[in-house]
Amino acid sequence: MLFRAIAEDTPGPKWAGLFAQYWPSYHGWWAREGLVARPTYLDCRRALREHMPEIVPLWEALCELAGGGDAAARFLSFYGPPAYLSACSQAIWPGDAPLLVRNYDYAPLAFDAVVLKTRWQGRGVIGMSDGLFGLVDGINDAGLAVSLTFGGRRNIGRGFGVPLILRYVLQTCTSAEAAGRALARIPCHMSYNVTVIDAERQFLTAYLAPDRKPVLSHAAVATNHQERVEWSSHARFTATVERERFLLQQLTLHPKTDDRFIAAFLRPPLYSTAFDAGFGTLYTAAYRPRDGRLELHWPHRRWLKSFDDFAEDSVQVMTPSGGLV
């Protein structure tokens, strides 16, 4: 898989080309349980207008670029999508400068592999695309950075796929406090942990769930459970407790420079090569809010992107086992 960097200030031909390329695969995934299993167009539009009205014009513009079809519009709303799981680890560096580091552990064939820089609705955003509208992590030009991990619970309910919630936060919020308010009110269809940090180094982790009220915590570490383990087999499979303990040790027992802290994510137990099981580490991201910069890391390789310097280039990355990511 090739990681690509693409910049387009307003929705246009580049985004439309990406959608045309990815839509057949996404449509197959989205409709795998039948179209009637997904919310109707009217339900999707109503939910967006109620919970994320600021980005409804953006959604409408993307739907038009996607061809104006019913299925594409419902998919792009991210409302009531099929269930999906990831692994992932994320933590706030304890130094003075704000820094959010995360590993994204997922299946390579179900991944956009696109770093997208936009200025939609006048707000600069750089992030790792998911579903071409959502993001699994990202930063905006106000210095707000955000990332997600799966929350380790099986419950599914009415709500939005969390990648669109991250997009909304970056489009509309400029501080961790404002992001917390948004995360607390938008319904999420599965359990996810969302960590945000701003340029003033204010941060929080939101524990989102479809069946109980969100919890806003000051946790600096998030893996794949929330306040306690609730899905034991998933916890064992992903080693969520072990990864959390390791990160907490990095934060408290062994003070490190920022570079050494990032390097810890490139080694076990955080770095995973379990690609056959669908949860290998696809990349390590380091977000530096005051610099407006994203660093993507792999063992022996680094790829830098910022609002001031964003080349539309690509990288091809090898996994430690020798296969292409």
Side-chain angles (χ1 to χ4, degrees), residues 171-205:
Q171 290 293 143
T172 64
C173 301
T174 59
S175 68
E177 181 181 5
R181 291 195 297 268
L183 292 167
R185 66 172 179 78
I186 299 172
C188 187
H189 91 300
M190 293 184 69
S191 295
Y192 275 86
N193 309 323
V194 178
T195 299
V196 299
I197 186 170
D198 61 28
E200 301 303 316
R201 208 183 174 280
Q202 299 300 307
F203 67 89
L204 61 86
T205 293

